[in-house]
Amino acid sequence: MSESISEAAAPEVAAVGLPSVRGVGAAPRKRNDFLYYGLRNKKLVFGLGLELILVLVALIGPMLAKYQPLQTTLPLQHPGSQHWLGTDLTGYDMYSQLTNGLRESYLIGALGAAFAAVVGMALGFIAGWRGGWVDELVQMITNVIVMIPSLVLLVVIGSYLSSRSILFEGAFIGLTTWPWVARAVRAQTFSLRGREYVELARLSGKRPVSIILKEIAPNMASYLFLAVILLFGSSMLIAASYDFLGLGPSGTVSIGWILNQAENGSALLYHLWWWFVPPVAVLTAMVAALLIANVGLDEVFNPKLREQ
Amino acid sequence: MSVNVQNLSVAYRSRLGDVTAVDDVSFSLADGEIMGLAGESGSGKSTLGNALVFLDPRMKATGGKVTVDGRDLPIADNGAMRHKRMTEVSLVPQYAMSALTPTRKIGRLINDLLKSHHIKNRDEVLTELKRRLALIGLKEEVLGKYSFELSGGMRQRVTIIMSTLLNPSLLIADEVTSALDVSTQRAVGEMLLEFRDRGYVKSAIAITHDLSILAQIADSIAIMYAGRLAERAPTSVIVDNPLHPYTQALLNSLPEVGVRHDQALLTGIPGRPPSLANPPAGCRFRERCPFAFDKCTQTPPFEEIRPGHLVACWKVSQEQTAVTAGAGQEQA
Amino acid sequence: MRRYLTRKLITYVLAFFVGVTLDWALPHFMPGDPIQGMLSKYNVGSNASYAALYQQFSSEFGLNVPLWQQYLNFWHGVLTGNLGVSIYENPASVTSVVFQAMPYTLALLVPAVLLSYTLGNRLGAAAARRRFLDNWVLPVGYIFQAIPYAGLALLVPFLFGSLWHLFPTSLGYSENLIPTFDWTFISSLLDHWFLPFLTVFIVSLGGWAIGMRNLVIYELENDSSRYLRALGASERVVRGYAYRNASLPQLSGLALQLGVVIGGNIVTEIAFQYPGLGSLIYKAISNEDYFLLQGIFIFIVIGVLLANFIIDLVFISVDPRTRLSMQGAAA
Ligand SMILES: Nc1ncnc2c1ncn2[C@@H]1O[C@H](COP(=O)(O)OP(=O)(O)O)[C@@H](O)[C@H]1O
Ligand code: SF4
Ligand SMILES: [Mg+2]
């Protein structure tokens, strides 16, 4: 009766915030329930609301800027009516830089999450569905990727590349974080595979791809959604680290890059708080809003977690 | 009467208001009685059973009174119930297969439970535990095992032993045979009887959607439909001479003994049970009842038609009055 | 047992193989020529001396033999610990430079990881389904979890250093001290250690607390907790069991998170100019010291493998399913 090791270790992703393995099934008739509880879930409403505001700022903010992000004006201006968020040592307008950085963060978040989701889901589904040596192999690859320190890898790669694009950064992040998705999807597929309706579909001779797409994927839609949200947030954080180290996209303004400039420009020494506090606060809010919405959504999808 | 349940109602909180899954249910159990509780899935059997032991936060008792051995059982008061659980009332849950924690050995789990109940003579209880394990043919080694090392049948037996270890007055055994193969079903059924005979449990409610197993172990049977009791009588009466149309349909649709049936139970009768969120007025079986007539739009009382035989059906009570009236006329 | 261990062992060996191969291959197949880059700094006058120097460097770094031989030589170097000479700390060997920096990194990483893990788990478990504590732990946890390392590595020194002058904000010890084993030096070490440690600690703390909180809530709602309650177990026992069960996924999460924490540690070290491997990486990049970079990479891979191995051992000792399936396979 002993469960396999892989199953025992399955809920691991929970530790990074994903829900652990459990029955998920979002029957359509429950849609109304989701909406009802969704609108009443304080965490979800707060998280989504905050995120929405920030997305709007990212979309509209740069248009309102009086200066280009890399246009030199008067240096070291305090925040005020001329420069809403002040200027840095070079004279760059921090409002313009921050709103543009916000945009880039969302872009990177989306790219990273998309790459990770596609690779992770494909491999996770295949491993969970086929089992056997295919599963073994995919797990092995997953575990190996997890053990290669991605930041150091990027340092090595980055130091040889003369210029890097946003797409490159997004792809790199996605291609080093997909194991989180793959593990979760694999475990879920594994447990769903044994369910009656999947069994039925299989016996009726449906093609695996169509079973995965039509029977399994919809049943873990809520789960995947949560996973992608988290990836979105972690991609933005990872990108901030890369950009801070000067490994980010060349010639663009990102939040990590602003922090890098602040560090190099001795912002701490001269107490130029407006140079780095707003970017840190904004990025933290962006990610925290996602995390909060994520937990809220989890409670909506999973009645047992609702507050009592 | 060792157990007395009066007008018990239990509801789940839901966004559309309360779902009353147990509605005005009354019954009592004599010392040593095993009552079977049968009905389609979703009729409220587990809710009733759980309510008597552990109301989880999503449930609430909306009315009624329960006594065990003449003492009040404060089912709505979680704190007051805690030390009555396992000692006065106990539960073998429907989810017994997943009820045992995966990271503690069975023996350790039991020991922790005893400590939690501040049992003083723990060694004696543990000796007794081993005796009981031996009685049903389990090796003492199971105490050193984790739940996932046990087969389904073993897990089921271990939960029964755990739940009855402190000799509760009332045991709720929820679907203890449903997950098992036929031969194990029989063994587990006999185990319940044996435990009752030895006084490990004073009385028990055996919940199942499988009437055939009840015929073997229950002294009396209560039939539940859509949150209410439809009929209650000694086992032989229910089996040979059921009065409620629903019981009759249930028995008619019964396949050979031992064959499992669940949703397909009432293939003979079209329709499905009404929603408990918003149940229709009157007899809840009305829409499916071949005998329904105008009076059935009112709720039929759960009446004692004959000694020990209670039925909630207008047709039955009318026939009964006709018979007694007829008898009265003859006498006159 | 054998099957489980074999699988683990293969994974480790494979990861090491992939790591070393990547480490070797990247410089070889990336655009650009490291030696050319190096020589461009020397301002070599004539073409002839340039060619001579190029030749010399090529042979010094073993680049004048066929690729496959370079690859084998690289492996030989890795396995014997001979990773060449650091360019910027010439003539110190890469290995010795790395070993000098390593204690600083470990001194940050190990306490930060262990403390944030244990404290975060306790906090999260305590907050689960307890409204008052949850109202505090949850929001603070989210903020900690969501704050970028680079951001905290600026905020912490800004607050504790620039504004409040509580702790030094850069380097590993006072510049005017010479490393000796005396109290002045050790207290200077601790002083300089505190803020970078705090930075790495805080970011991880939030993640562990929230992860544990969510897991414990799941556990408290599952069948085994319900059964315990139905049998009258005290809430303390129920929570104790929930904590134990939730620890397993947290522990595997620790293995998964290592890469992220190491990345954060590097960022933090660089921001604080703390003399660990992270700062060394930074120096290696700015001095185009590719051999040093390669060496650091290898050591970090080895470190991650070792940490994974330790976590595996702990996991086996905590999770009976894994342990027994190992014994089962051996029987
Ligand atoms: N968590 C819940 N929330 C709302 N309603 C519930 C919940 N659980 C059960 N119910 C309702 O209670 C009814 C009885 O359920 P249950 O007692 O489990 O039935 P049985 O044990 O007879 O199969 C179900 O039909 C369902 O409508
Ligand atoms: S009360 Fe009426 S509807 Fe209900 S069972 Fe009896 S005859 Fe049928
Ligand atoms: Mg039930």
Side-chain angles (χ1 to χ4, degrees), chain A residues 1 3 32-33 36-37 308, chain B residues 15 57 148-151 155:
Chain A
M1 281 302 293
E3 265 104 26
N32 288 333
D33 263 23
Y36 176 91
Y37 284 112
Q308 291 165 357
Chain B
R15 76 167 171 100
F148 55 86
E149 295 178 86
L150 307 179
S151 69
R155 270 188 240 188

Side-chain angles (χ1 to χ4, degrees), chain C residues 150-185:
Chain C
L152 203 61
L154 289 176
L155 288 183
V156 164
F158 179 61
L159 293 179
F160 291 84
S162 310
L163 281 187
W164 302 332
H165 302 289
L166 293 175
F167 291 95
T169 58
S170 67
L171 302 179
Y173 49 88
S174 286
E175 263 174 302
N176 49 15
L177 289 179
I178 300 159
T180 37
F181 195 75
D182 63 10
W183 178 239
T184 331
F185 181 70

Side-chain angles (χ1 to χ4, degrees), chain B residues 244-245 283 285-286 289 291-292 296 300 313-315:
Chain B
H244 197 285
C283 175
F285 190 52
R286 200 173 74 229
C289 179
F291 308 107
C296 304
C313 171
W314 290 120
K315 171 177 157 284

Side-chain angles (χ1 to χ4, degrees), chain B residues 13-159:
Chain B
R13 301 165 215 267
S14 97
R15 76 167 171 100
L16 301 168
D18 290 351
V19 176
T20 302
V22 171
D23 192 1
D24 199 17
V25 164
S26 304
F27 62 88
S28 48
L29 293 184
D31 282 358
E33 179 172 353
I34 295 182
M35 179 181 95
L37 183 60
E40 284 161 291
S41 284
S43 56
K45 308 180 299 289
S46 297
T47 310
L48 173 56
N50 288 331
L52 296 177
V53 182
F54 173 51
L55 275 176
D56 75 53
R58 276 163 303 137
M59 299 157 74
K60 60 178 177 192
T62 49
K65 186 171 148 61
V66 182
T67 58
V68 173
D69 294 332
R71 282 190 308 266
D72 251 8
L73 191 69
I75 57 167
D77 183 347
N78 190 30
M81 280 296 283
R82 173 151 105 75
H83 285 294
K84 294 190 182 287
R85 295 180 183 133
M86 208 171 168
T87 54
E88 280 188 41
V89 286
S90 201
L91 172 74
V92 180
Q94 181 164 10
Y95 52 85
M97 288 306 120
S98 53
L100 300 170
T101 194
T103 51
R104 281 285 189 219
K105 291 175 179 163
I106 308 288
R108 174 76 186 266
L109 180 59
I110 293 176
N111 203 31
D112 285 349
L113 273 170
L114 297 180
K115 273 196 225 163
S116 200
H117 277 294
H118 310 301
I119 302 291
K120 290 187 197 73
N121 51 347
R122 242 184 308 151
D123 288 343
E124 280 169 48
V125 178
L126 291 175
T127 319
E128 176 64 19
L129 168 67
K130 287 169 191 159
R131 197 176 309 136
R132 290 185 187 184
L133 283 173
L135 178 72
I136 55 161
L138 285 180
K139 291 203 190 78
E140 213 178 296
E141 278 96 81
V142 298
L143 295 180
K145 296 206 176 216
Y146 294 94
S147 60
F148 55 86
E149 295 178 86
L150 307 179
S151 69
M154 279 160 90
R155 270 188 240 188
Q156 189 63 265
R157 273 177 268 216
V158 166
T159 48

Side-chain angles (χ1 to χ4, degrees), chain B residues 50 53-54 56 82 85-86 90-93 95 98-104 108-109 112-113 116-117 146 148-149 159 162-163, chain C residues 219 221-235 237 240-242 244-245 248 318-325:
Chain B
N50 288 331
V53 182
F54 173 51
D56 75 53
R82 173 151 105 75
R85 295 180 183 133
M86 208 171 168
S90 201
L91 172 74
V92 180
Y95 52 85
S98 53
L100 300 170
T101 194
T103 51
R104 281 285 189 219
R108 174 76 186 266
L109 180 59
D112 285 349
L113 273 170
S116 200
H117 277 294
Y146 294 94
F148 55 86
E149 295 178 86
T159 48
M162 271 175 71
S163 296
Chain C
E219 287 295 330
E221 297 300 333
N222 74 9
D223 287 347
S224 52
S225 295
R226 262 170 86 191
Y227 186 50
L228 281 172
R229 288 190 172 121
L231 292 189
S234 65
E235 209 52 20
V237 170
Y241 275 60
R244 197 179 165 80
N245 289 343
L248 296 178
V318 184
D319 182 33
R321 273 168 296 198
T322 309
R323 191 167 58 241
L324 287 161
S325 67

